[in-house]
Amino acid sequence: MSLPDGTPAPRAFLFADPAAHSLSPQMHRAAFAHAGQPGTYEARRVPPADLAAAIAGLRAPGVLGANLSLPHKEAALPLLDSLSGAARAVGAVNTVVHRDGRLHGDNTDSPGLRDALSDAGYIWEQGAGVIVLGAGGAARAAVHALIRAQQNVTVVNRTLERAQAIAADWHDPDADVQVTALPAHAAPWESAALVVNASSAGLNDPDQTPLDAAFLTRLPAGTLVYDMVYKPAETRLMREARAAGLSAHNGLGMLAHQARLAFHAWTGADVPVRVFLDALTRAGAPAAAQGQDT
Ligand SMILES: NC(=O)c1ccc[n+]([C@@H]2O[C@H](COP(=O)([O-])OP(=O)(O)OC[C@H]3O[C@@H](n4cnc5c(N)ncnc54)[C@H](OP(=O)(O)O)[C@@H]3O)[C@@H](O)[C@H]2O)c1
């Protein structure tokens, strides 16, 4: 694709390893079409040893930037010229924005989760209790979003020490809300308004779950269970949450919102999240998260 004067269309990329499975090209191509802007988006497999060269290539004229996925989200930090507050706090970059030869790192997973939770009907009450499952980069993005939204967070992880490291990083005795790390049996299930699965348990495995179903029965009736995993469309965690009478959503909404926010950072265009969700559906992703709760 090229502009009428012959200059090449703006380009954006995904750097990941592996990259072939990604649904990001379909989302961003749909967004360029919806915005009426020329542009290309290409998923590239970039092994860790090639990351520095790939990032350096983003400084070329005509490049908008790139999304970063596993295993590059943390490794890219020292390769960039500046970082957003979210990227610095989370310690991970999923979106690189190129402007005039300089590269700015951002994290749109965190606000993407916030927006997906709102779409899923989560009511943001000051000081509400949220349990986050997992302690990797996705959990850190979740904790960042939840603390910014004045939620009290308990991190539960298979390896407790990693949850404790997150609690230590967010420790602020002067804050109104806190991050606590606890083993599952000690977590405050009875008072939780939201459970976010930010672990990779259940990914591509309908029989795997990060949580014994007995804990789900301790949650109040109105609790929302949000699973960042979206393959399969209904994870075992979601299935068991629904069986316990709870509302459950998969992570497609977050995937769509993080892409929407990245696209906005590159182009300035406000493309509705529906465009990204429809592209995911057309690409064969399971029906969008909205409206799936029982
Ligand atoms: N929907 C979206 O847009 C979106 C965005 C970002 C990430 N995600 C998803 O979020 C998930 C986590 O991503 P990540 O980058 O944070 O991964 P990560 O850094 O590899 O962390 C994985 C976490 O999952 C835990 N875990 C793995 N297998 C488990 C099991 N069988 N039972 C219990 N816990 C288990 C690990 O526990 P240990 O610490 O004990 O190893 C760790 O805390 C992935 O499925 C990813 O696809 C979705």
Side-chain angles (χ1 to χ4, degrees):
M1 191 188 289
S2 61
L3 299 169
D5 64 1
T7 54
R11 291 170 291 154
F13 300 91
L14 168 73
F15 297 156
D17 188 13
H21 66 287
S22 173
L23 299 173
S24 290
Q26 286 89 338
M27 287 196 288
H28 288 288
R29 287 169 192 161
F32 279 122
H34 182 92
Q37 293 192 14
T40 65
Y41 186 102
E42 183 193 331
R44 282 195 181 165
R45 188 178 81 82
V46 174
D50 297 346
L51 180 65
I55 297 247
L58 297 175
R59 298 180 193 274
V63 174
L64 296 169
N67 285 133
L68 305 179
S69 192
L70 286 175
H72 302 317
K73 289 185 181 185
E74 288 88 12
L77 264 76
L79 303 172
L80 304 172
D81 301 311
S82 59
L83 297 173
S84 69
R88 200 171 294 114
V90 175
V93 167
N94 79 327
T95 302
V96 179
V97 181
H98 172 224
R99 293 253 192 290
D100 302 325
R102 291 183 61 79
L103 300 179
H104 178 70
D106 199 358
N107 186 305
T108 66
D109 283 335
S110 179
L113 174 65
R114 174 201 64 202
D115 292 350
L117 289 171
S118 296
D119 286 355
Y122 184 62
I123 309 291
W124 296 94
E125 280 180 18
Q126 159 94 24
V130 180
I131 296 176
V132 172
L133 308 174
R140 286 179 173 270
V143 169
H144 178 69
L146 294 163
I147 286 293
R148 277 177 71 88
Q150 296 292 303
Q151 310 293 285
N152 272 305
V153 180
T154 304
V155 183
V156 171
N157 188 48
R158 183 174 63 177
T159 310
L160 182 60
E161 292 74 20
R162 293 189 74 200
Q164 288 168 332
I166 293 183
D169 285 352
W170 263 271
H171 180 66
D172 179 359
D174 298 328
D176 293 333
V177 289
Q178 301 296 332
V179 182
T180 311
L182 288 172
H185 67 82
W189 302 101
E190 284 77 7
S191 58
L194 170 68
V195 175
V196 175
N197 177 32
S199 84
S200 48
L203 182 64
N204 293 323
D205 185 347
D207 296 325
Q208 199 179 47
T209 176
L211 193 66
D212 190 315
F215 293 116
L216 294 168
T217 63
R218 291 170 53 182
L219 293 163
T223 303
L224 173 70
V225 175
Y226 192 89
D227 199 336
M228 286 194 194
V229 174
Y230 50 84
K231 242 190 257 175
E234 187 184 59
T235 61
R236 179 171 161 190
L237 176 68
M238 292 169 62
R239 203 164 61 240
E240 292 180 341
R242 288 169 175 168
L246 304 169
S247 173
H249 286 247
N250 67 26
L252 276 182
M254 177 179 174
L255 184 69
H257 274 293
Q258 63 77 27
R260 178 184 65 77
L261 292 160
F263 190 81
H264 179 263
W266 294 327
T267 65
D270 274 317
V271 174
V273 73
R274 174 52 55 193
V275 171
F276 297 84
L277 288 167
D278 287 350
L280 288 172
T281 305
R282 280 197 306 277
Q290 280 74 9
Q292 280 194 30
D293 45 331
T294 49

